[in-house]
Amino acid sequence: DAGVIQSPRHEVTEMGQEVTLRCKPISGHDYLFWYRQTMMRGLELLIYFNNNVPIDDSGMPEDRFSAKMPNASFSTLKIQPSEPRDSAVYFCASSPLTGPANYGYTFGSGTRLTVV
Amino acid sequence: AQSVTQLGSHVSVSEGALVLLRCNYSSSVPPYLFWYVQYPNQGLQLLLKYTSAATLVKGINGFEAEFKKSETSFHLTKPSAHMSDAAEYFCAISNFGNEKLTFGTGTRLTIIP
């Protein structure tokens, strides 16, 4: 298995632009999680899906952030408009239905976003 | 609410010395506990997990951790540090029926040659 695939690996954009981050989970995994990692706040859960349905988006910082999972093999996290304080590493992770709490997560390599 | 506290944001040990990374948890229900490792510019990789079976858990790369309920701890150890162990280590917590992992703030491990 290729693992969790995230693209792009690096993104540099200007303030005000739209940014779209992409994630392909491991085939057969039912849960998908989006995390953000910063020096100041550590790892923060933004949103997670079960069978393509958003379950908890309480971590999404504001309305500028949105996430979708149109099918079992693809998810996007969109920021519009982007701001410098959105600069961070964004991770996607997936887990099987047997229980993320029991199994743990498999993380992608992350997208390093820089908003200038 | 559940949480984990990692004592020491930076730990340095000499190559060949014992590695001890500390994690204490807070939970009103029996916890599931995890250790993850993050190498530079990479995602997090699962080292080991405790899910209410044996209290001494062995993971990859020679690491192990012991669940101690009386001390609410889940410290990570390795008898002999190797240069390749230099990374950031995260403790995380969840519980039965809870899909979310809550992570600690991480401990950066430096190995001194």
Side-chain angles (χ1 to χ4, degrees), chain B residues 75-92:
Chain B
H75 301 332
L76 182 70
T77 61
K78 182 174 180 177
S80 177
H82 191 273
M83 294 300 294
S84 61
D85 295 327
E88 187 146 18
Y89 293 79
F90 292 89
C91 183

Side-chain angles (χ1 to χ4, degrees), chain B residues 30-50:
Chain B
Y32 294 163
L33 293 160
F34 305 79
W35 276 100
Y36 282 82
V37 60
Q38 184 180 29
Y39 298 103
N41 300 315
Q42 295 187 27
L44 281 74
Q45 178 183 0
L46 182 64
L47 267 180
L48 50 80
K49 57 182 167 72
Y50 165 77

Side-chain angles (χ1 to χ4, degrees), chain A residues 9 31 33 35 37 43 45 48 56 91 100-105 107-108 112, chain B residues 32 34 36 38 41-44 46 49 51 90 94-95 98-101 103:
Chain A
R9 287 297 309 273
Y31 287 92
F33 304 81
Y35 277 84
Q37 184 179 37
L43 276 160
L45 176 64
Y48 77 95
D56 185 348
F91 287 104
N102 189 30
Y103 173 89
Y105 301 165
F107 281 81
R112 182 175 296 276
Chain B
Y32 294 163
F34 305 79
Y36 282 82
Q38 184 180 29
N41 300 315
Q42 295 187 27
L44 281 74
L46 182 64
K49 57 182 167 72
T51 55
F90 292 89
S94 186
N95 61 274
N98 181 3
E99 299 91 354
K100 296 191 287 188
L101 288 183
F103 287 87

Side-chain angles (χ1 to χ4, degrees), chain A residues 4-21:
Chain A
V4 176
I5 308 297
Q6 290 188 247
S7 64
R9 287 297 309 273
H10 302 274
E11 177 81 34
V12 180
T13 190
E14 292 186 347
M15 181 175 62
Q17 296 298 306
E18 176 181 300
V19 175
T20 299
L21 312 181

